[in-house]
Amino acid sequence: FDIWGVQLEKGKFATSFIPTRDGATATRGNESFEIDGEDFTDFFNATESTVLSHITPLDNSLGNHSGTGGVVWSFDAGGSFGNGNYFSNANSTTSFGHTVVVGSSGQNTGGGTGNMTNGVPFKNATVFKKDDFIMATNGTLANADTSGNLPTVVKLVLGNNGWGNALNGANIHFNRFTYYPKRLPNNQLVTLTS
């Protein structure tokens, strides 16, 4: 026999079906995606990169994190917080920032995204290159940081940190994630996020 039906949802966008029994409700846990090994080294440029991410912070997610905050994406050495590039929403804030850490020492002090709103999508482009860190959000270029090193990283993780636990996942919806193995010019960062 065939079964057909419709799934209605109250949220701002459709989610995938979570099977339950006897009409019970369920909430999907944090999901993350990881690329490592040869799959990672085949595309990653260790000297310069640009990441374009269009994301939507989900309801009641901004600033409601423990530890290092809600990590959207990370290029990480694995094992701990000491080496990596992290785009995250810090605790008790409504903004997102890019953090570069080498040997447990922060490398960049570039600007953040400004205040974001739960349920409202935004576009961000983040550049990381030795002595060249900058981001643009929704068509506005932040302050540049022209001093800092890059960590040696071995993987990309979307939706969480790269050091093996699920404590710091950002409660977000990815509308788009694009990696460029080069430093895009500032005017293109503004255009891509407008």
Side-chain angles (χ1 to χ4, degrees), residues 47-48 128-133 147-150:
T47 60
E48 61 182 292
F128 42 101
K129 180 179 180 181
K130 180 177 174 23
D131 299 329
D132 186 7
F133 305 98
S147 175
N149 293 310
L150 291 176

Side-chain angles (χ1 to χ4, degrees), residues 8-136:
L8 300 176
E9 297 194 39
K10 202 175 189 178
K12 294 182 184 352
F13 54 86
T15 61
S16 58
F17 175 69
I18 305 171
T20 60
R21 295 183 185 264
D22 302 322
T25 60
T27 301
R28 183 167 311 285
N30 183 52
E31 296 178 326
S32 61
F33 173 79
E34 182 175 314
I35 301 173
D36 60 4
E38 189 176 341
D39 293 332
F40 178 75
T41 57
D42 281 350
F43 79 85
F44 184 70
N45 180 352
T47 60
E48 61 182 292
S49 299
T50 303
V51 172
L52 175 65
S53 47
H54 298 186
I55 63 172
T56 303
L58 300 180
D59 292 340
N60 300 313
S61 66
L62 291 172
N64 293 325
H65 310 288
S66 62
T68 57
V71 180
V72 175
W73 53 256
S74 69
F75 290 85
D76 196 84
S80 69
F81 181 68
N83 291 290
N85 287 289
Y86 311 99
F87 184 68
S88 62
N89 168 231
N91 299 326
S92 303
T93 72
T94 57
S95 66
F96 289 76
H98 177 228
T99 304
V100 180
V101 182
V102 176
S104 298
S105 175
Q107 299 296 305
N108 67 328
T109 57
T113 61
N115 293 325
M116 299 294 109
T117 303
N118 284 318
V120 178
F122 71 93
K123 300 174 184 179
N124 176 270
T126 300
V127 166
F128 42 101
K129 180 179 180 181
K130 180 177 174 23
D131 299 329
D132 186 7
F133 305 98
I134 195 165
M135 67 168 57

Side-chain angles (χ1 to χ4, degrees), residues 138-155:
N138 291 339
T140 301
L141 204 59
N143 294 329
D145 185 331
T146 58
S147 175
N149 293 310
L150 291 176
T152 300
V153 296
V154 298
K155 61 182 167 178

